[in-house]
Amino acid sequence: MVSGGGSNLGAILDAQECGRLSHARVVLVIANKPGIGALGRAAERHIESRVIPAEDEAGLLQALGDNRIELLLLAGYMRRLGGKTVERYRGRLLNIHPALLPRHGGPGMFGLRVHRAVLEAGESESGCTVHEVDEELDHGRVLAQARVPVLPGDAPEALAARVLKEEHRLYPAVIDEFALRWRQRVQEGVGS
Ligand code: GRF
């Protein structure tokens, strides 16, 4: 699920094409609004996409069900998910956040604001976090983090670019590992 440029989506699709995503396959890209870069990336790779406004939870659940979606991945999705979606996908719903949670997450912490907050706090390092999604923003179980240094004189944009590079490496790797575990659990009869 996407709301923006979709560079993380691009990294996931690159991993898929290069065989680094062997336990999952992206079958549907959902955007909450039309005209965003992420939809262009999906189209270029011939991945099916849908635009579903965040308010239309019934439509979202229908699309997820129709496409038999097992893992739901947020990749720069800027809207809160409805409670029914969180409930249905609990334990198989992931997000990536551009900071080392639990630091610098929660309401208002998105885009360059995150990196400004990191710099203002005088942190010596930042990074990104892949976590499970629950009802609270940027709060679910942390699955993995990657760290980058904060350099003297860093501008938010420079820090954002350094973190984003790590996001593109971390997220596909975590998704693949998570999908493998999910598959094993389904085979054992859990969550089916
Ligand atoms: C990333 O920084 C991600 O951590 C955050 O939103 C941004 C999305 O960027 N959740 P992109 O659309 O994947 O380029």
Side-chain angles (χ1 to χ4, degrees):
M1 296 186 72
V2 291
S3 299
S7 69
N8 276 287
L9 171 65
I12 294 165
L13 296 177
D14 283 347
Q16 180 162 288
E17 279 174 18
C18 299
R20 280 181 287 117
L21 198 63
S22 43
H23 302 100
R25 188 165 56 91
V26 179
V27 292
L28 180 65
V29 171
I30 296 175
N32 62 306
K33 56 186 177 186
I36 60 172
L39 286 171
R41 290 180 195 265
E44 276 165 20
R45 317 284 185 112
H46 307 288
I47 307 282
E48 192 184 331
S49 63
R50 293 274 310 272
V51 176
I52 303 176
E55 299 72 27
D56 184 10
E57 187 175 34
L60 172 63
L61 289 170
Q62 181 77 43
L64 296 172
D66 289 348
N67 288 277
R68 303 176 63 187
I69 300 302
E70 291 178 84
L71 304 180
L72 190 51
L73 309 172
L74 308 186
Y77 189 69
M78 299 298 285
R79 299 294 302 269
R80 288 287 279 267
L81 286 177
K84 285 185 187 159
T85 310
V86 174
E87 187 56 44
R88 185 180 297 175
Y89 281 88
R90 196 181 301 285
R92 51 197 180 114
L93 172 47
L94 307 186
N95 181 45
I96 186 156
H97 182 79
L100 296 173
L101 293 175
R103 307 268 298 154
H104 310 297
M109 279 295 139
F110 58 86
L112 284 178
R113 292 175 187 214
V114 178
H115 307 291
R116 275 192 209 109
V118 168
L119 294 174
E120 278 163 19
E123 308 280 12
S124 60
E125 60 176 9
S126 188
C128 50
T129 303
V130 179
H131 65 95
E132 289 185 19
V133 174
D134 64 13
E135 282 77 3
E136 263 181 77
L137 209 54
D138 302 327
H139 172 265
R141 185 168 73 102
V142 170
L143 298 177
Q145 294 184 312
R147 292 166 186 273
V148 302
V150 173
L151 301 177
D154 252 346
E157 292 80 2
L159 181 57
R162 200 174 305 128
V163 170
L164 194 61
K165 208 169 156 197
E166 287 304 309
E167 292 185 40
H168 295 162
R169 195 184 55 74
L170 185 69
Y171 207 11
V174 174
I175 291 166
D176 197 39
E177 176 72 23
F178 193 85
L180 170 64
R181 296 235 182 87
W182 169 254
R183 187 164 286 192
Q184 289 167 342
R185 279 174 60 197
V186 169
Q187 279 165 1
E188 287 160 10
V190 184
S192 53

